[in-house]
Amino acid sequence: MKNIKIILFTIVIGVLCFSCDKDSGSAALVLEAGAVPNMSKVSGSDGIIDLVRLNSGEVLTISFNALVAQGNPASTDIIASFVTLAGPVYNATLASNVSLPQDYSLTTNDIIAAFSEINSKDDIKLGDVLRISARFTMSDGRVLSLLNEDGTDNTGTTLSNSKLVAIAVNYPVSCPSDIGGTYLVSSTGAGCCGVSPITDYEYTVTVTDNGGGSYTLSDYSGGAFDGLFCAAFNICGDTSSGEITDVCGTLGGTAPDCCGDTYDFQGVVNDDGTWSVDISSGFMAATQVWTKQ
C-alpha cells in the first residue's frame, strides 16, 4: 500500500510538469496574436490605500506606469476593477484611447468618481483591492481586456505568474506593513503517504517585502514540506515560493505547492511580532510559529 501511495505521489509531480509545459505553449500563442501590458507602481509612491490616513480625512494619491510589453494595439484603455471583501466587484474605465508608455496618478477622490457604486470614502473598506490594468483594441477589431468582470486575470496561468511582466497593479485597502526579514519557523503537523508527523520542526524562511503589504516567502510551507517529505521522498529544502498579503495584521494567501496541489496560508501577526500560522495543502497540514531573527 505504501508503494502505491509513493507511485501516485510521483505521478502527480509528472502531471504538474506536463501541465506547466502545455500552458507555456498556450500562453506563447496568445502573446504572438495579441498584446500584453506591463504595469508598475511608480517608485516611492504609495503601494496601498492606507486606511488609517483615509479615515483621518487625508486625500491619498497613487501613481503607476503603464506600457505595452508586447504587441501593437490600435488603441488602449486603462481599466480598473474594485474588488470588495464583501463580494461585489465594480469595473470602470479610467482613461480611454491613451498613448503608452505613460505615468498616471489617481487620488482617492478620482477613484470614488470613477466607480458609480462608490459614493464616498466610507464605501472603501478594509480588505478591498483596487486592480488596474489595460484593455487593447487590435487592428482587426478584437478587444483584449486583461481583467475579467470579476477582477481576476484574463490570461493563462503562465502569463499571470510571469516575473517578466505584471499585467495589473494591485492597491489593497490596508494598513502600513513592515514584516519583511528572516524568520525561524517552528512547525507541528502531519502529511500524507504514511510519513512521520513533525513536532516543533525548525526551518529558516526569507520574507521579501514587495511593497503594498505583499510579501514573497522563500518557502511557502515554512519548512513543513522539508520536515515531512525530505527523508521519505527526497523533497528537501525550499520547495516552492509564493506571495502572502498582510492586511492590518491578518496574513493570507495561496500558492502552488511543488507537487500539483495548492497551499492555503492563513495567519495573524501577534503583538510580540511573531506570526501564528495555519498552512495546508492536499498533502499536509501544520500549525506554525514564525519568529523574526
Side-chain angles (χ1 to χ4, degrees), residues 37-38 69 158-159 161-167:
N38 190 31
T158 297
L159 186 56
N161 294 331
S162 171
K163 302 301 182 184
L164 300 177
V165 297
I167 65 167

Side-chain angles (χ1 to χ4, degrees), residues 186-205:
S186 176
S187 299
T188 297
C192 74
C193 313
V195 299
S196 299
I198 52 175
T199 301
D200 299 328
Y201 183 83
E202 293 187 337
Y203 193 85
T204 300
V205 177

Side-chain angles (χ1 to χ4, degrees), residues 53 69 90 117 194 196 208 217 252:
R53 292 165 57 196
Y90 314 138
E117 300 89 346
S196 299
T208 303
L217 310 182

Side-chain angles (χ1 to χ4, degrees), residues 41 47 163 180 207-217 242-245:
K41 297 176 182 178
K163 302 301 182 184
V207 179
T208 303
D209 190 344
N210 303 321
S214 171
Y215 297 86
T216 297
L217 310 182
E243 293 184 4
I244 62 168
T245 57

Side-chain angles (χ1 to χ4, degrees), residues 167-179:
I167 65 167
V169 284
N170 299 325
Y171 290 94
V173 181
S174 187
C175 306
S177 176
D178 184 20
I179 58 173

